[in-house]
Amino acid sequence: MKAIVLSNYGSPDQLELKDIEKPIPKDGEVLVKVHATTINDWDWCLVRGSPFYIRLFCGWRKPNIRVPGVEMAGQVETVGQNVIEFQPGDTVYSDISESGFGGFAEYVCVPETALAPMPEGMTFTEAAAIPHAAMLAIQGLIDAGQLQPGQRLLINGAGGGVGTLGVQIANAVGVQDVTGIDRASKFTLMRSVGFTHTIDYTQTDFTTGQERYDVILDTKTNRSPFKYLSVLNPGGTYVTVGGLTPRLFQVLLFGPMIRWLTQKSVRLVSLRPNKDLAYVNELWAAGQLKPAIDGPYSMNEVPRLIQYFGTGQHQGKVVVTHES
């Protein structure tokens, strides 16, 4: 089978499209023919081996993950022993970040427990764009942020996958006043998915403004957590789902002290992959969720696309397909 292979840490340019052996499912695993996958922050960090903690999990000198790719959507090819829920021909999707990665390949083996059925009417391209970003958004907004109807929400880094799905999830909860922070080139897309206000971070620092929010969801985390307190309402919550490593450590370190001193919460999401895909399917069936797609592109473009993702210019989710 064809796959994008990672042999050493470094530039995305050193990734290679190769023929490798097709995997065989073990007990409890499902072999999926991948129709679509995406580019994620995990891939950007894994390929470069940076920040440093990536090497703690994925190999210090050389990566122990041969094929990157965090999300996938496809069709069940075969099943291993003791698989109950799926059979050949079923369409499935998943975040496979805890299943060995492997989305940048024609086939991947995934534990049955990590898969969700694709709802009727969802395409492979749409399905691939959902699992990772939607879980970050749901667990950030609902689980950590305790978002309630009628509250005011701000999303920093709003034009990517988490932001464009997060605003739709917020709307489904009953939040209609949602501000998005990103570069101006993404504003048209952001307004189309439900943002009521947009701010260009290159022109305006929202942490010095007069507006106040009940919940802030941050996908960038490029400021000290103390900077966000002035724009949080009393009792408000700041939630980060990723960003600069020193800032994430500050959230962990100072979060309890900030809550004690200010009665405002500062939280970091510890992702639970695929936990809420049943809820995602409900939102999809109700017409309340549709991913914003950048692409789709072909598999041989993955090295270029990872570099493109790293510049932050992408809009929504960058999707790659095996279809010619």
Side-chain angles (χ1 to χ4, degrees), residues 68-265:
V70 171
E71 292 172 296
M72 71 88 207
Q75 193 165 31
V76 174
E77 184 89 354
T78 60
V79 301
Q81 292 185 1
N82 302 315
V83 171
I84 299 172
E85 297 294 330
F86 300 99
Q87 59 187 2
D90 289 346
T91 55
V92 294
Y93 69 133
S94 177
D95 174 341
I96 53 177
S97 59
E98 292 190 350
S99 306
F101 292 66
F104 297 164
E106 290 183 291
Y107 295 89
V108 65
C109 286
V110 183
E112 175 186 26
T113 53
L115 292 170
M118 285 170 49
E120 184 177 352
M122 183 182 287
T123 68
F124 290 120
T125 299
E126 292 167 330
I130 290 174
H132 189 68
M135 295 305 95
L136 287 171
I138 290 169
Q139 291 167 38
L141 293 173
I142 297 176
D143 295 355
Q146 297 291 299
L147 190 66
Q148 300 296 317
Q151 288 188 323
R152 300 194 71 203
L153 168 67
L154 180 140
I155 300 179
N156 187 33
V162 176
T164 52
L165 289 172
V167 65
Q168 297 175 67
I169 292 162
N171 289 166
V173 169
V175 174
Q176 301 301 320
D177 191 326
V178 187
T179 297
I181 312 296
D182 216 308
R183 60 185 72 200
S185 59
K186 302 184 184 184
F187 284 178
T188 299
L189 170 65
M190 289 163 57
R191 291 167 183 144
S192 74
V193 295
F195 283 98
T196 46
H197 312 286
T198 52
I199 298 175
D200 182 353
Y201 73 87
T202 68
Q203 303 296 320
T204 304
D205 180 358
F206 73 91
T207 64
T208 63
Q210 300 300 311
E211 299 296 330
R212 300 292 179 266
Y213 307 94
D214 301 295
V215 177
I216 295 174
L217 181 68
D218 197 353
T219 73
K220 297 300 183 183
T221 316
N222 48 12
R223 298 174 174 85
S224 162
F226 293 97
K227 287 283 289 183
Y228 300 96
L229 300 179
S230 63
V231 290
L232 273 177
N233 280 324
T237 302
Y238 165 85
V239 182
T240 172
V241 297
L244 298 179
T245 303
R247 299 306 189 189
L248 298 178
F249 278 125
Q250 287 179 337
V251 171
L252 288 172
L253 181 63
F254 296 120
M257 180 183 70
I258 289 172
R259 182 174 180 81
W260 181 67
L261 291 174
T262 69
Q263 305 304 307
K264 299 177 182 180
S265 297

